[in-house]
């Protein structure tokens, strides 16, 4: 059996009954029969994240630098700023209080690279506040901002030109350089003069602040890209360039994604789920929409990253696209057999969350666990947004259960997708 056939068969071997869990088969009747379920925000619970996919430890000093920069910028803004415009002064006070609270709250992210992202965000808040305060007090930073922007562009060009994807293996090249590619792309976007520094900063202090914050964020993003690369290379003994190997692997995976996506083409970008059963108000509807949407998003992202020359990211997106297709195939089969359509309750949501947790926990023990963890991230994210969405009333119990059912199917699809990607990298 070819590796591609093994991938396509990977989920099928689990069996629809196992994938559907205890959702049952009977189809519900009219919407009137479906009672409202008051779902507590913690119904889904939480998960234990696996170790970071980044191949080496990320020193805490990288995050400390952003925190110290944010604190220094915040210290330049008085707690009770004196500016002629009272409304502006009040907004500056409120913004300063929020920025200080975010810095004091610190960052609790499961992976260090996410922690860096969170600290860059806090630093951006402080820089924007600092820029707005200076503008409101009559300082014009237009020339300085443009000078900083040109400097970041120049440094970005140098770093990108020297980015040869050096790594001890093609797999490590993906894991080490994918976050670096993302940072370089973010930096490139943030060096655009949008928002532009206003001609009259006193009249538009917060537009001025946004421009200042954007440039400072570009500098911070570029710094993290260079430091992550240095951290990785310092732990490896003069590794060779893996650029050509990454391009070749990305090409092979693009073909696999295209062919695999074709097997579910009729289930993508459809307004209504193409099933005979009435799925309104059932987890099945939410499951199908999430599964179908994930395939479209992942395949589109994979094509875009390849077109941009971000080959490490394209490999990750390809793996996620392959797992997403398998999750959709399993969802289609289950829904056709009547699964995911029983009445929803707090207990059924909790049981679905338990099955999703079990599927996610199994990923850490799989081969090539770091790559598997990176591919599985969309499933992890489900447990991050659900508590807030439930509490704010953005989703109901049926939607929550459908999203959790998708997280289970996707997590189960990750190990075979990981194995397929690794074969293409070797």
């Amino acid at each position: 059996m070819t590796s591609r056939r093994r991938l396509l068969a990977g989920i099928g071997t689990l069996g629809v009954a196992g994938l559907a869990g205890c959702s049952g088969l009977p189809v519900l009747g009219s919407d009137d029969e479906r009672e409202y379920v008051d779902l507590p925000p913690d119904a889904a619970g939480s998960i234990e994240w696996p170790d970071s996919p980044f191949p080496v430890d990320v020193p805490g000093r990288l995050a400390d630098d952003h925190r110290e920069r944010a604190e220094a910028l915040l210290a330049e803004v008085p707690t009770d700023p004196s500016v002629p415009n009272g409304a502006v002064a009040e907004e500056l006070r409120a913004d300063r209080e929020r920025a200080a609270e975010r810095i004091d709250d610190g960052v609790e992210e499961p992976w260090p690279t996410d922690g860096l992202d969170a600290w860059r965000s806090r630093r951006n808040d402080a820089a924007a506040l600092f820029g707005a305060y200076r503008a409101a007090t009559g300082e014009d930073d237009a020339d300085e901002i443009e000078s900083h922007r040109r400097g970041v562009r120049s440094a970005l060009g140098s770093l990108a030109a020297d980015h040869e994807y050096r790594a001890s293996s093609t797999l490590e090249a993906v894991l080490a350089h994918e976050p670096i590619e993302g940072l370089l792309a973010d930096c490139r976007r943030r060096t655009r003069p949008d928002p532009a520094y206003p001609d009259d900063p006193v009249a538009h202090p917060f537009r001025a602040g946004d421009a200042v914050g954007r440039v400072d964020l570009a500098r911070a993003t570029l710094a993290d890209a260079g430091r992550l690369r240095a951290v990785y290379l310092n732990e490896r003994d003069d590794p060779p360039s893996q650029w050509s190997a990454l391009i070749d692997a990305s090409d092979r995976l693009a073909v696999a994604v295209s062919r695999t996506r074709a097997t579910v083409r009729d289930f993508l970008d459809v307004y209504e789920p193409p099933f005979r059963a009435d799925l309104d108000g059932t987890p099945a509807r939410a499951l199908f929409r999430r599964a179908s949407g994930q395939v479209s998003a992942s395949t589109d992202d994979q094509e875009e990253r390849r077109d941009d020359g971000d080959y490490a990211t394209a490999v990750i997106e390809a793996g996620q696209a392959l797992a997403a297709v398998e999750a959709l195939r399993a969802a289609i089969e289950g829904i056709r057999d009547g699964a995911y359509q029983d009445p929803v309750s707090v207990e059924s949501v909790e049981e679905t969350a338990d099955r999703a947790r079990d599927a996610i926990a199994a990923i850490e023990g799989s081969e090539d666990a770091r790559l598997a963890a990176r591919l599985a991230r969309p499933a992890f994210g489900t447990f991050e947004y659900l508590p807030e969405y439930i509490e704010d009333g953005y989703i109901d119990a049926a939607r929550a259960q459908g999203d959790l059912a998708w997280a289970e199917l996707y997590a189960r699809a990750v190990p075979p997708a990981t194995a397929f990607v690794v074969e293409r990298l070797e």
Side-chain angles (χ1 to χ4, degrees):
M1 179 182 288
T2 67
S3 57
R4 180 174 179 272
R5 288 178 179 172
R6 282 198 296 274
L7 169 69
L8 297 179
I11 294 303
T13 59
L14 296 172
V16 174
L19 292 170
C22 301
S23 55
L25 301 181
V27 178
L28 295 174
S30 66
D31 289 342
D32 293 339
E33 298 175 23
R34 298 169 186 139
E35 297 181 0
Y36 172 75
V37 177
D38 187 11
L39 194 64
D42 62 351
S46 60
I47 60 168
E48 290 291 331
W49 283 59
D51 292 338
S52 168
F54 198 71
V56 301
D57 291 337
V58 178
R61 59 179 169 77
L62 273 63
D64 291 342
D65 287 347
H66 295 312
R67 176 181 53 79
E68 291 168 4
R69 170 68 173 165
E71 290 173 342
L73 288 165
L74 197 63
E76 295 295 322
V77 182
T79 56
D80 188 18
S82 176
V83 298
N85 188 316
V88 170
E90 179 57 35
E91 189 165 352
L92 287 172
R93 277 193 293 271
D95 287 351
R96 191 191 189 287
E97 182 177 350
R98 282 191 293 269
E101 288 176 352
R102 291 192 72 200
I103 293 172
D104 290 343
D105 286 343
V107 167
E108 293 184 4
E109 294 289 345
W111 292 343
T113 48
D114 293 334
L116 289 176
D117 181 64
W119 274 116
R120 288 194 303 273
S121 176
R122 285 156 173 73
R123 173 174 168 172
N124 176 54
D125 288 347
L129 174 66
F130 172 71
Y133 171 69
R134 283 181 57 82
T137 54
E139 300 292 339
D140 188 334
D141 291 326
D143 291 342
E144 184 176 2
I145 290 302
E146 184 55 34
S147 175
H148 287 323
R149 182 179 290 113
R150 286 196 300 268
V152 174
R153 283 176 180 163
S154 177
L156 171 63
S158 298
L159 181 58
D162 192 41
H163 189 204
E164 297 181 352
Y165 297 86
R166 292 166 57 201
S168 56
S169 68
T170 312
L171 174 58
E172 273 212 355
V174 172
L175 297 174
H177 293 277
E178 181 255 344
I180 296 171
E181 282 182 342
L183 291 168
L184 293 177
D186 287 346
C187 181
R188 192 171 294 111
R189 287 191 294 270
R190 287 161 181 160
T191 54
R192 300 167 187 163
D194 179 24
Y197 195 87
D199 293 333
D200 186 355
V202 174
H204 304 284
F206 296 103
R207 276 177 50 193
D210 287 344
V212 171
R214 188 178 181 89
V215 171
D216 189 80
L217 182 56
R219 295 170 66 184
T221 304
L222 180 62
D224 278 348
R227 295 189 300 178
L228 282 179
R229 188 181 71 159
V231 164
Y232 171 73
L233 293 178
N234 286 342
E235 295 294 323
R236 298 294 182 264
D237 185 16
D238 193 24
S241 171
Q242 301 289 346
W243 200 349
S244 296
L246 274 181
I247 294 173
D248 291 344
S250 176
D251 290 343
R252 292 191 293 269
L253 285 167
V255 173
V257 169
S258 178
R259 290 177 177 173
T260 308
R261 182 184 185 278
T263 65
V264 294
R265 181 182 294 114
D266 294 341
F267 295 88
L268 304 177
D269 303 318
V270 293
Y271 181 73
E272 287 295 330
F275 302 100
R276 292 181 180 179
D278 175 15
L279 302 183
D280 284 349
T282 69
R285 185 181 185 89
L287 167 61
F288 175 79
R289 286 188 168 180
R290 178 69 188 276
S292 176
Q294 188 70 33
V295 172
S296 295
S298 296
T299 53
D300 289 348
D301 287 346
Q302 185 266 339
E303 292 176 0
E304 185 177 345
R305 297 287 79 78
R306 284 189 73 249
D307 290 343
D308 290 344
D310 293 336
Y311 296 107
T313 307
V315 169
I316 296 295
E317 296 291 353
Q320 291 184 337
L322 294 170
V325 169
E326 292 306 310
L328 176 57
R329 285 156 58 93
I332 292 168
E333 188 176 353
I335 293 170
R336 280 176 170 169
D337 284 351
Y340 308 109
Q341 296 163 58
D342 274 354
V344 178
S345 65
V346 173
E347 291 74 20
S348 70
V349 172
E350 292 173 342
E351 290 169 0
T352 306
D354 288 341
R355 292 195 299 273
R357 252 189 303 276
D358 289 343
I360 288 171
I363 290 172
E364 191 167 11
S366 63
E367 291 187 29
D368 302 298
R370 287 185 185 273
L371 178 60
R374 182 61 187 87
L375 297 188
R377 176 154 194 162
F380 305 157
T382 302
F383 284 85
E384 285 193 319
Y385 70 73
L386 274 180
E388 181 178 352
Y389 279 22
I390 293 171
E391 186 172 16
D392 293 341
Y394 291 153
I395 63 176
D396 59 14
R399 164 74 186 279
Q401 186 168 323
D403 281 6
L404 288 165
W406 174 83
E408 178 194 359
L409 299 186
Y410 183 85
R412 293 189 186 278
V414 164
T418 302
F420 185 87
V421 171
V422 170
E423 285 187 11
R424 292 303 181 271
L425 292 172
E426 292 177 345

